[in-house]
Amino acid sequence: MSGCRLCGGVVEEFLDLGPQPLPDAFLSPDDPAGIAAEFFHRLAVGRCGTCTVVQLTDEIPREQVFHHDYPYRSASGSSAMREHFTRTALGFVETELSTADPFFVEIGCNDGTLLRTGAESGIRHRGFEPSGGVAKIARERGVRVRTEFFEESTAAAVREAEGPADMIYSSDTISQIPYTASLLRGVDALLSPGGVFVFEDPYLRDMVEKTSFDQICNERFYLFSVRSVQAMAERFGFELVDAVQLPTYGGGLRYTLARAGARRPAPSVARLLAQEVAQGLAESAGLQRFASSVTGIRDDLVGLLRSLREDGRTVVGYGATAKSATVTNFCGIGPDLVPYVCDTTPAKQHLLTPGMHIPVKPPAAFSDPYPDYALLFAWNHAEEIMAKEQRFREAGGRWIVYVPEVRVI
Ligand code: SAM
Ligand code: TMP
Ligand code: ZN
Protein backbone atom coordinates (compact mmCIF):
# COMPACT_ATOMS: atom_id res chain seq x y z
CA MET A 1 0.00 0.00 0.00
CA SER A 2 1.29 3.45 -0.86
CA GLY A 3 0.80 6.67 1.09
CA CYS A 4 -2.10 9.12 0.94
CA ARG A 5 -2.57 10.37 -2.62
CA LEU A 6 -3.12 13.87 -1.26
CA CYS A 7 -0.60 14.43 1.53
CA GLY A 8 1.63 11.33 1.64
CA GLY A 9 0.33 10.33 5.11
CA VAL A 10 -0.29 6.75 6.17
CA VAL A 11 -3.55 5.26 4.85
CA GLU A 12 -5.29 3.07 7.45
CA GLU A 13 -7.43 0.45 5.73
CA PHE A 14 -10.89 -0.07 7.26
CA LEU A 15 -12.76 -2.19 4.70
CA ASP A 16 -11.69 -4.90 2.26
CA LEU A 17 -14.30 -5.77 -0.39
CA GLY A 18 -12.15 -8.52 -1.86
CA PRO A 19 -11.06 -9.11 -5.44
CA GLN A 20 -13.25 -7.01 -7.73
CA PRO A 21 -13.38 -6.49 -11.50
CA LEU A 22 -13.67 -3.06 -13.09
CA PRO A 23 -17.35 -2.25 -12.57
CA ASP A 24 -17.91 -1.09 -16.15
CA ALA A 25 -15.95 -3.90 -17.83
CA PHE A 26 -18.90 -5.89 -19.21
CA LEU A 27 -18.00 -9.08 -21.09
CA SER A 28 -19.25 -10.65 -24.29
CA PRO A 29 -20.67 -14.17 -23.79
CA ASP A 30 -19.21 -14.97 -27.24
CA ASP A 31 -15.65 -14.13 -26.20
CA PRO A 32 -14.32 -16.93 -23.96
CA ALA A 33 -10.78 -15.55 -24.25
CA GLY A 34 -11.98 -12.16 -22.98
CA ILE A 35 -13.76 -13.83 -20.08
CA ALA A 36 -10.68 -15.89 -19.23
CA ALA A 37 -8.52 -12.75 -19.31
CA GLU A 38 -10.80 -10.77 -16.99
CA PHE A 39 -8.74 -9.13 -14.31
CA PHE A 40 -9.52 -8.47 -10.70
CA HIS A 41 -8.08 -5.96 -8.26
CA ARG A 42 -8.30 -6.00 -4.50
CA LEU A 43 -10.84 -3.34 -3.55
CA ALA A 44 -9.98 -1.92 -0.16
CA VAL A 45 -10.62 1.49 1.30
CA GLY A 46 -8.87 3.44 4.00
CA ARG A 47 -8.53 6.84 5.62
CA CYS A 48 -5.45 8.97 5.79
CA GLY A 49 -4.29 9.26 9.38
CA THR A 50 -3.01 12.77 8.65
CA CYS A 51 -5.56 14.56 6.42
CA THR A 52 -8.47 12.03 6.89
CA VAL A 53 -9.25 11.76 3.17
CA VAL A 54 -11.01 8.46 2.48
CA GLN A 55 -9.49 6.72 -0.54
CA LEU A 56 -8.79 3.37 -2.13
CA THR A 57 -5.59 1.68 -1.09
CA ASP A 58 -4.74 0.74 -4.69
CA GLU A 59 -4.89 2.78 -7.86
CA ILE A 60 -5.95 1.38 -11.24
CA PRO A 61 -4.21 2.78 -14.36
CA ARG A 62 -6.75 5.20 -15.82
CA GLU A 63 -6.51 3.86 -19.39
CA GLN A 64 -7.83 0.49 -18.14
CA VAL A 65 -11.03 2.19 -17.01
CA PHE A 66 -11.70 5.07 -19.40
CA HIS A 67 -11.24 3.99 -22.99
CA HIS A 68 -13.18 3.90 -26.24
CA ASP A 69 -15.68 1.26 -25.05
CA TYR A 70 -16.39 2.69 -21.58
CA PRO A 71 -20.16 2.06 -21.54
CA TYR A 72 -21.65 4.45 -18.97
CA ARG A 73 -23.94 7.05 -20.55
CA SER A 74 -25.41 9.96 -18.67
CA ALA A 75 -28.41 10.12 -20.97
CA SER A 76 -29.50 6.50 -21.09
CA GLY A 77 -30.45 6.02 -17.46
CA SER A 78 -32.54 8.34 -15.43
CA SER A 79 -34.87 11.06 -16.67
CA ALA A 80 -34.51 12.72 -13.25
CA MET A 81 -30.75 12.98 -13.87
CA ARG A 82 -31.28 14.41 -17.36
CA GLU A 83 -33.54 17.05 -15.81
CA HIS A 84 -30.95 17.67 -13.09
CA PHE A 85 -28.29 18.35 -15.73
CA THR A 86 -30.52 20.65 -17.80
CA ARG A 87 -31.56 22.59 -14.69
CA THR A 88 -27.95 22.78 -13.52
CA ALA A 89 -26.71 24.10 -16.88
CA LEU A 90 -29.51 26.68 -17.15
CA GLY A 91 -28.79 27.77 -13.57
CA PHE A 92 -25.12 28.37 -14.47
CA VAL A 93 -26.13 30.34 -17.58
CA GLU A 94 -28.09 32.70 -15.32
CA THR A 95 -25.41 33.05 -12.66
CA GLU A 96 -21.70 32.36 -13.19
CA LEU A 97 -22.03 32.46 -16.98
CA SER A 98 -24.06 35.66 -17.27
CA THR A 99 -21.03 37.84 -18.13
CA ALA A 100 -20.18 38.87 -21.69
CA ASP A 101 -18.83 35.92 -23.72
CA PRO A 102 -18.25 33.51 -20.83
CA PHE A 103 -16.19 30.33 -21.30
CA PHE A 104 -17.47 27.12 -19.66
CA VAL A 105 -15.45 23.92 -19.27
CA GLU A 106 -16.73 20.49 -18.20
CA ILE A 107 -14.49 17.69 -16.96
CA GLY A 108 -15.97 14.28 -17.85
CA CYS A 109 -18.74 15.55 -20.14
CA ASN A 110 -19.55 11.98 -21.22
CA ASP A 111 -22.24 12.03 -23.96
CA GLY A 112 -22.80 15.78 -23.63
CA THR A 113 -26.03 15.58 -21.62
CA LEU A 114 -25.19 18.71 -19.60
CA LEU A 115 -22.98 20.57 -22.03
CA ARG A 116 -25.46 20.42 -24.90
CA THR A 117 -27.73 22.76 -22.91
CA GLY A 118 -24.83 25.21 -22.67
CA ALA A 119 -24.09 24.73 -26.37
CA GLU A 120 -27.74 25.35 -27.28
CA SER A 121 -27.68 28.51 -25.17
CA GLY A 122 -24.77 29.74 -27.32
CA ILE A 123 -22.22 29.49 -24.50
CA ARG A 124 -18.58 29.14 -25.56
CA HIS A 125 -17.60 25.80 -24.07
CA ARG A 126 -15.17 22.89 -24.02
CA GLY A 127 -15.65 19.37 -22.71
CA PHE A 128 -12.89 16.97 -21.67
CA GLU A 129 -13.86 13.33 -22.19
CA PRO A 130 -11.21 10.61 -22.55
CA SER A 131 -13.69 7.81 -23.32
CA GLY A 132 -13.88 7.96 -27.12
CA GLY A 133 -17.26 6.31 -27.66
CA VAL A 134 -19.24 8.69 -25.47
CA ALA A 135 -17.13 11.69 -26.57
CA LYS A 136 -18.18 10.98 -30.16
CA ILE A 137 -21.85 11.05 -29.16
CA ALA A 138 -21.32 14.40 -27.44
CA ARG A 139 -19.68 15.78 -30.57
CA GLU A 140 -22.62 14.61 -32.67
CA ARG A 141 -24.84 16.67 -30.36
CA GLY A 142 -22.95 19.87 -31.15
CA VAL A 143 -20.69 19.80 -28.09
CA ARG A 144 -17.03 20.81 -28.47
CA VAL A 145 -15.02 17.97 -26.92
CA ARG A 146 -11.37 17.08 -26.51
CA THR A 147 -11.00 13.31 -26.28
CA GLU A 148 -8.43 13.43 -23.52
CA PHE A 149 -7.98 13.38 -19.77
CA PHE A 150 -8.19 16.71 -17.97
CA GLU A 151 -4.83 17.21 -16.24
CA GLU A 152 -2.22 19.92 -15.93
CA SER A 153 -0.89 19.74 -19.50
CA THR A 154 -4.24 19.44 -21.31
CA ALA A 155 -5.77 22.21 -19.19
CA ALA A 156 -2.81 24.48 -19.99
CA ALA A 157 -3.24 23.72 -23.71
CA VAL A 158 -6.87 24.84 -23.59
CA ARG A 159 -5.95 27.98 -21.67
CA GLU A 160 -3.39 28.75 -24.40
CA ALA A 161 -5.79 28.10 -27.28
CA GLU A 162 -9.13 29.29 -25.89
CA GLY A 163 -8.39 31.59 -22.97
CA PRO A 164 -9.35 31.40 -19.29
CA ALA A 165 -12.49 29.60 -18.12
CA ASP A 166 -15.08 31.46 -16.07
CA MET A 167 -16.35 28.20 -14.71
CA ILE A 168 -15.11 24.61 -14.62
CA TYR A 169 -17.76 22.05 -13.74
CA SER A 170 -17.71 18.31 -13.18
CA SER A 171 -20.29 15.70 -12.17
CA ASP A 172 -19.39 12.31 -10.68
CA THR A 173 -15.86 12.48 -12.08
CA ILE A 174 -13.50 14.32 -9.69
CA SER A 175 -13.79 11.47 -7.16
CA GLN A 176 -12.54 9.21 -9.98
CA ILE A 177 -9.31 11.18 -10.48
CA PRO A 178 -6.51 10.06 -8.12
CA TYR A 179 -3.93 12.47 -9.61
CA THR A 180 -5.20 15.40 -7.56
CA ALA A 181 -2.07 17.54 -7.90
CA SER A 182 -2.19 17.47 -11.70
CA LEU A 183 -5.96 18.05 -11.63
CA LEU A 184 -5.80 21.11 -9.37
CA ARG A 185 -2.75 22.56 -11.09
CA GLY A 186 -4.76 22.19 -14.30
CA VAL A 187 -7.68 24.05 -12.74
CA ASP A 188 -5.23 26.71 -11.59
CA ALA A 189 -3.85 27.05 -15.13
CA LEU A 190 -7.25 27.30 -16.80
CA LEU A 191 -9.53 29.14 -14.39
CA SER A 192 -9.92 32.93 -14.66
CA PRO A 193 -8.90 34.91 -11.54
CA GLY A 194 -12.53 35.30 -10.40
CA GLY A 195 -13.76 31.95 -11.74
CA VAL A 196 -15.14 28.95 -9.87
CA PHE A 197 -14.52 25.22 -9.99
CA VAL A 198 -17.76 23.40 -9.13
CA PHE A 199 -18.00 19.65 -8.76
CA GLU A 200 -20.53 17.12 -7.52
CA ASP A 201 -19.79 13.68 -6.15
CA PRO A 202 -21.24 11.11 -3.73
CA TYR A 203 -20.90 12.36 -0.14
CA LEU A 204 -19.06 10.24 2.44
CA ARG A 205 -21.64 11.17 5.06
CA ASP A 206 -24.50 9.70 3.00
CA MET A 207 -22.47 6.57 2.37
CA VAL A 208 -21.81 6.04 6.07
CA GLU A 209 -25.35 6.91 7.19
CA LYS A 210 -26.95 4.63 4.58
CA THR A 211 -24.26 1.91 4.68
CA SER A 212 -24.22 2.32 0.88
CA PHE A 213 -20.91 0.51 0.49
CA ASP A 214 -21.61 0.07 -3.21
CA GLN A 215 -20.44 3.66 -3.70
CA ILE A 216 -17.00 2.08 -3.32
CA CYS A 217 -15.68 0.61 -6.56
CA ASN A 218 -12.45 0.37 -8.49
CA GLU A 219 -13.41 3.40 -10.60
CA ARG A 220 -13.92 5.80 -7.72
CA PHE A 221 -10.72 6.64 -5.89
CA TYR A 222 -11.99 9.15 -3.30
CA LEU A 223 -15.03 9.42 -1.07
CA PHE A 224 -15.17 13.11 -0.34
CA SER A 225 -16.33 15.04 2.69
CA VAL A 226 -16.41 18.79 3.28
CA ARG A 227 -13.37 18.41 5.50
CA SER A 228 -11.34 16.50 2.94
CA VAL A 229 -12.24 18.77 0.02
CA GLN A 230 -11.33 21.77 2.13
CA ALA A 231 -7.94 20.21 2.86
CA MET A 232 -7.47 19.42 -0.81
CA ALA A 233 -8.41 22.94 -1.93
CA GLU A 234 -6.08 24.63 0.55
CA ARG A 235 -3.10 22.59 -0.57
CA PHE A 236 -3.37 24.08 -4.05
CA GLY A 237 -4.26 27.72 -3.33
CA PHE A 238 -8.02 27.35 -3.49
CA GLU A 239 -10.77 27.78 -0.92
CA LEU A 240 -13.99 25.85 -0.47
CA VAL A 241 -16.59 28.64 -0.70
CA ASP A 242 -19.83 26.67 -0.95
CA ALA A 243 -21.10 23.17 -0.20
CA VAL A 244 -24.65 22.10 -1.04
CA GLN A 245 -26.12 18.68 -0.34
CA LEU A 246 -27.80 16.98 -3.31
CA PRO A 247 -30.35 14.16 -3.50
CA THR A 248 -28.57 12.82 -6.59
CA TYR A 249 -25.77 10.18 -6.70
CA GLY A 250 -27.43 8.31 -3.82
CA GLY A 251 -26.69 11.37 -1.66
CA GLY A 252 -24.17 13.82 -3.03
CA LEU A 253 -22.55 17.16 -2.43
CA ARG A 254 -21.81 20.06 -4.75
CA TYR A 255 -18.51 21.76 -3.86
CA THR A 256 -17.56 25.24 -5.11
CA LEU A 257 -13.88 26.17 -5.07
CA ALA A 258 -12.56 29.67 -5.77
CA ARG A 259 -9.07 31.10 -5.52
CA ALA A 260 -8.15 31.66 -1.88
CA GLY A 261 -9.63 34.94 -0.65
CA ALA A 262 -11.54 35.63 -3.88
CA ARG A 263 -15.02 34.94 -2.48
CA ARG A 264 -16.65 34.95 0.92
CA PRO A 265 -17.50 31.36 1.95
CA ALA A 266 -21.21 30.56 2.28
CA PRO A 267 -22.39 29.66 5.82
CA SER A 268 -23.11 26.09 4.66
CA VAL A 269 -19.38 25.30 4.60
CA ALA A 270 -18.89 25.92 8.33
CA ARG A 271 -22.26 24.34 9.16
CA LEU A 272 -21.56 21.08 7.32
CA LEU A 273 -18.03 20.99 8.66
CA ALA A 274 -19.32 21.31 12.23
CA GLN A 275 -21.81 18.51 11.61
CA GLU A 276 -19.06 16.26 10.25
CA VAL A 277 -16.89 16.91 13.30
CA ALA A 278 -19.79 16.37 15.73
CA GLN A 279 -20.63 13.12 13.98
CA GLY A 280 -17.02 11.92 13.99
CA LEU A 281 -17.24 11.40 10.23
CA ALA A 282 -13.95 10.08 8.86
CA GLU A 283 -12.77 9.13 12.35
CA SER A 284 -11.53 5.54 12.65
CA ALA A 285 -14.22 4.36 15.09
CA GLY A 286 -17.14 5.40 12.86
CA LEU A 287 -15.55 3.88 9.78
CA GLN A 288 -14.95 0.59 11.62
CA ARG A 289 -18.65 0.54 12.58
CA PHE A 290 -19.55 1.20 8.95
CA ALA A 291 -17.38 -1.77 7.91
CA SER A 292 -19.14 -4.15 10.28
CA SER A 293 -22.57 -2.97 9.05
CA VAL A 294 -21.43 -3.82 5.52
CA THR A 295 -20.81 -7.43 6.51
CA GLY A 296 -24.26 -7.54 8.13
CA ILE A 297 -25.90 -6.37 4.89
CA ARG A 298 -24.04 -9.00 2.90
CA ASP A 299 -25.21 -11.77 5.24
CA ASP A 300 -28.82 -10.54 5.22
CA LEU A 301 -28.97 -10.14 1.44
CA VAL A 302 -27.42 -13.50 0.61
CA GLY A 303 -29.61 -15.18 3.25
CA LEU A 304 -32.75 -13.65 1.73
CA LEU A 305 -31.82 -14.59 -1.85
CA ARG A 306 -31.02 -18.17 -0.85
CA SER A 307 -34.27 -18.62 1.03
CA LEU A 308 -36.27 -17.20 -1.90
CA ARG A 309 -34.51 -19.65 -4.20
CA GLU A 310 -35.35 -22.53 -1.87
CA ASP A 311 -38.98 -21.43 -1.97
CA GLY A 312 -38.92 -21.49 -5.78
CA ARG A 313 -39.28 -17.71 -6.14
CA THR A 314 -37.81 -15.82 -9.10
CA VAL A 315 -35.56 -12.78 -8.56
CA VAL A 316 -34.08 -10.55 -11.26
CA GLY A 317 -31.74 -7.59 -10.97
CA TYR A 318 -32.83 -4.05 -11.90
CA GLY A 319 -30.01 -1.80 -13.20
CA ALA A 320 -26.56 -3.15 -14.11
CA THR A 321 -25.02 -0.27 -12.20
CA ALA A 322 -21.35 0.11 -11.39
CA LYS A 323 -22.56 -0.22 -7.80
CA SER A 324 -24.04 -3.65 -8.54
CA ALA A 325 -20.59 -4.96 -9.44
CA THR A 326 -19.38 -4.19 -5.92
CA VAL A 327 -22.42 -5.82 -4.32
CA THR A 328 -22.54 -8.96 -6.47
CA ASN A 329 -18.81 -9.61 -6.28
CA PHE A 330 -18.54 -8.91 -2.56
CA CYS A 331 -21.60 -11.02 -1.74
CA GLY A 332 -20.95 -13.77 -4.33
CA ILE A 333 -24.29 -13.19 -6.09
CA GLY A 334 -24.22 -14.89 -9.51
CA PRO A 335 -26.78 -16.16 -12.05
CA ASP A 336 -27.74 -18.99 -9.66
CA LEU A 337 -29.36 -16.39 -7.38
CA VAL A 338 -30.16 -13.64 -9.92
CA PRO A 339 -30.47 -15.13 -13.44
CA TYR A 340 -30.39 -11.80 -15.26
CA VAL A 341 -30.36 -8.05 -14.78
CA CYS A 342 -32.20 -5.44 -16.90
CA ASP A 343 -30.58 -2.19 -17.93
CA THR A 344 -31.44 0.72 -20.22
CA THR A 345 -27.84 1.31 -21.38
CA PRO A 346 -27.40 -0.04 -24.93
CA ALA A 347 -23.66 -0.70 -24.47
CA LYS A 348 -24.33 -3.01 -21.48
CA GLN A 349 -27.15 -5.08 -23.01
CA HIS A 350 -26.58 -8.68 -24.15
CA LEU A 351 -23.30 -8.74 -22.23
CA LEU A 352 -22.32 -10.30 -18.89
CA THR A 353 -21.81 -8.30 -15.71
CA PRO A 354 -18.20 -7.97 -14.58
CA GLY A 355 -16.96 -10.68 -12.26
CA MET A 356 -20.18 -12.58 -11.55
CA HIS A 357 -21.21 -12.89 -15.24
CA ILE A 358 -24.93 -12.26 -14.86
CA PRO A 359 -26.53 -11.73 -18.32
CA VAL A 360 -27.75 -8.17 -18.97
CA LYS A 361 -31.07 -7.81 -20.81
CA PRO A 362 -32.85 -4.76 -22.23
CA PRO A 363 -35.67 -3.30 -20.11
CA ALA A 364 -38.26 -5.05 -22.31
CA ALA A 365 -37.31 -8.30 -20.51
CA PHE A 366 -38.84 -6.82 -17.36
CA SER A 367 -42.48 -7.30 -18.32
CA ASP A 368 -45.43 -9.64 -17.90
CA PRO A 369 -44.95 -12.39 -16.73
CA TYR A 370 -42.91 -10.53 -14.14
CA PRO A 371 -40.49 -12.17 -11.71
CA ASP A 372 -41.63 -12.48 -8.08
CA TYR A 373 -38.92 -10.09 -6.90
CA ALA A 374 -36.67 -7.43 -8.37
CA LEU A 375 -33.38 -6.66 -6.68
CA LEU A 376 -33.00 -2.89 -7.03
CA PHE A 377 -29.36 -2.27 -7.84
CA ALA A 378 -30.21 1.24 -9.15
CA TRP A 379 -31.53 2.19 -5.69
CA ASN A 380 -30.44 5.80 -6.15
CA HIS A 381 -33.17 6.10 -8.81
CA ALA A 382 -35.79 4.25 -6.70
CA GLU A 383 -38.52 6.86 -6.85
CA GLU A 384 -38.39 7.18 -10.63
CA ILE A 385 -38.14 3.42 -11.18
CA MET A 386 -40.94 2.46 -8.82
CA ALA A 387 -43.23 5.05 -10.42
CA LYS A 388 -42.38 3.69 -13.87
CA GLU A 389 -42.82 0.05 -12.87
CA GLN A 390 -46.18 0.23 -11.13
CA ARG A 391 -47.48 -2.70 -13.17
CA PHE A 392 -44.85 -4.93 -11.58
CA ARG A 393 -46.31 -4.11 -8.14
CA GLU A 394 -49.85 -4.54 -9.38
CA ALA A 395 -48.90 -7.99 -10.70
CA GLY A 396 -47.78 -8.92 -7.16
CA GLY A 397 -44.06 -8.20 -7.63
CA ARG A 398 -41.93 -6.97 -4.73
CA TRP A 399 -38.74 -4.93 -4.61
CA ILE A 400 -35.68 -6.04 -2.68
CA VAL A 401 -33.54 -3.14 -1.48
CA TYR A 402 -30.34 -3.29 0.55
CA VAL A 403 -29.81 0.41 1.30
CA PRO A 404 -29.85 1.36 4.15
CA GLU A 405 -30.73 -2.22 5.13
CA VAL A 406 -32.08 -5.34 3.46
CA ARG A 407 -35.85 -5.03 3.07
CA VAL A 408 -38.64 -6.32 0.84
CA ILE A 409 -41.07 -3.57 -0.14
N1 SAM B 1 -20.41 13.63 -15.89
C1 SAM B 1 -21.20 12.50 -16.36
C2 SAM B 1 -22.37 12.24 -15.45
O1 SAM B 1 -22.39 12.71 -14.31
O2 SAM B 1 -23.28 11.51 -15.88
C3 SAM B 1 -20.35 11.23 -16.47
C4 SAM B 1 -19.89 10.64 -15.19
S1 SAM B 1 -18.94 9.14 -15.43
C5 SAM B 1 -19.21 8.34 -13.91
C6 SAM B 1 -17.26 9.73 -15.32
C7 SAM B 1 -16.76 10.30 -16.64
O3 SAM B 1 -15.52 10.98 -16.42
C8 SAM B 1 -16.51 9.27 -17.71
O4 SAM B 1 -17.20 9.62 -18.88
C9 SAM B 1 -14.98 9.28 -17.88
O5 SAM B 1 -14.57 8.95 -19.17
C10 SAM B 1 -14.63 10.70 -17.49
N2 SAM B 1 -13.26 10.95 -16.98
C11 SAM B 1 -12.49 10.16 -16.21
N3 SAM B 1 -11.30 10.76 -15.94
C12 SAM B 1 -11.32 11.97 -16.54
C13 SAM B 1 -10.41 13.06 -16.65
N4 SAM B 1 -9.21 13.04 -16.07
N5 SAM B 1 -10.77 14.12 -17.38
C14 SAM B 1 -11.98 14.19 -17.99
N6 SAM B 1 -12.89 13.19 -17.91
C15 SAM B 1 -12.57 12.10 -17.21
P1 TMP C 1 -26.07 5.27 -12.06
O1 TMP C 1 -26.67 4.90 -10.75
O2 TMP C 1 -24.60 5.30 -12.06
O3 TMP C 1 -26.74 6.48 -12.64
O4 TMP C 1 -26.42 4.07 -13.05
C1 TMP C 1 -27.74 3.73 -13.33
C2 TMP C 1 -27.76 2.44 -14.13
O5 TMP C 1 -29.08 1.91 -14.03
C3 TMP C 1 -27.46 2.63 -15.61
O6 TMP C 1 -26.76 1.49 -16.08
C4 TMP C 1 -28.85 2.70 -16.22
C5 TMP C 1 -29.68 1.82 -15.31
N1 TMP C 1 -31.08 2.21 -15.20
C6 TMP C 1 -32.05 1.33 -15.68
O7 TMP C 1 -31.71 0.27 -16.18
N2 TMP C 1 -33.36 1.70 -15.59
C7 TMP C 1 -33.75 2.88 -15.05
O8 TMP C 1 -34.95 3.17 -15.00
C8 TMP C 1 -32.74 3.77 -14.52
C9 TMP C 1 -33.14 5.06 -13.89
C10 TMP C 1 -31.42 3.39 -14.62
ZN1 ZN D 1 -3.59 12.53 3.58
Side-chain angles (χ1 to χ4, degrees), residues 66 70 74 85 108 110 129-131 150 171-173 176-177 179:
F66 304 114
Y70 172 78
S74 310
F85 288 132
N110 197 267
E129 179 46 69
S131 300
F150 182 96
S171 153
D172 203 13
T173 300
Q176 304 189 344
I177 299 182
Y179 36 99

Side-chain angles (χ1 to χ4, degrees), residues 72-73 76-79 81 172 318-323 342-345 348 363 377-378 380-381 384-385 388-389:
Y72 183 80
R73 282 203 47 194
S76 64
S78 151
S79 59
M81 280 310 281
D172 203 13
Y318 199 103
T321 55
K323 293 186 271 299
C342 298
D343 196 281
T344 48
T345 313
K348 296 181 182 179
F377 289 124
N380 47 317
H381 304 295
E384 176 180 342
I385 290 172
K388 176 165 80 176
E389 301 290 3

Side-chain angles (χ1 to χ4, degrees), residues 4-11 47-53 55 235:
C4 170
R5 204 56 166 89
L6 190 63
C7 77
V10 175
V11 177
R47 76 183 271 282
C48 172
T50 309
C51 74
T52 77
V53 176
Q55 59 200 273
R235 264 187 113 74

Side-chain angles (χ1 to χ4, degrees), residues 228-239:
S228 64
V229 169
Q230 192 171 56
M232 191 180 271
E234 283 170 5
R235 264 187 113 74
F236 296 94
F238 293 98
E239 189 174 1

Side-chain angles (χ1 to χ4, degrees), residues 251-278:
L253 212 135
R254 174 182 293 171
Y255 303 92
T256 301
L257 270 54
R259 294 186 190 281
R263 295 199 184 194
R264 183 197 294 266
S268 61
V269 176
R271 180 171 44 80
L272 285 166
L273 204 54
Q275 287 170 4
E276 289 183 2
V277 172

Side-chain angles (χ1 to χ4, degrees), residues 132-297:
V134 287
K136 181 166 175 282
I137 296 167
R139 215 168 278 123
E140 286 162 2
R141 293 168 141 183
V143 171
R144 303 177 66 219
V145 188
R146 287 173 77 113
T147 308
E148 57 192 10
F149 290 94
F150 182 96
E151 58 191 333
E152 190 173 3
S153 60
T154 54
V158 167
R159 162 74 198 229
E160 178 78 24
E162 304 184 58
D166 298 281
M167 178 174 199
I168 302 178
Y169 170 77
S170 192
S171 153
D172 203 13
T173 300
I174 300 306
S175 59
Q176 304 189 344
I177 299 182
Y179 36 99
T180 312
S182 177
L183 166 82
L184 287 177
R185 285 196 205 110
V187 172
D188 189 26
L190 183 53
L191 198 66
S192 69
V196 282
F197 174 34
V198 176
F199 60 94
E200 306 174 357
D201 276 290
Y203 184 20
L204 178 69
R205 186 167 147 196
D206 284 279
M207 183 184 86
V208 169
E209 285 176 356
K210 297 176 188 157
T211 322
S212 46
F213 67 97
D214 54 357
Q215 298 283 16
I216 304 164
C217 71
N218 275 321
E219 282 178 10
R220 185 183 313 289
F221 189 77
Y222 289 117
L223 287 141
F224 291 137
S225 61
V226 172
R227 182 171 168 192
S228 64
V229 169
Q230 192 171 56
M232 191 180 271
E234 283 170 5
R235 264 187 113 74
F236 296 94
F238 293 98
E239 189 174 1
L240 178 63
V241 295
D242 203 1
V244 177
Q245 283 189 272
L246 301 171
T248 43
Y249 317 104
L253 212 135
R254 174 182 293 171
Y255 303 92
T256 301
L257 270 54
R259 294 186 190 281
R263 295 199 184 194
R264 183 197 294 266
S268 61
V269 176
R271 180 171 44 80
L272 285 166
L273 204 54
Q275 287 170 4
E276 289 183 2
V277 172
Q279 189 182 3
L281 187 73
E283 296 304 336
S284 294
L287 294 172
Q288 295 294 346
R289 273 196 302 279
F290 163 77
S292 49
S293 307
V294 171
T295 317
I297 287 184

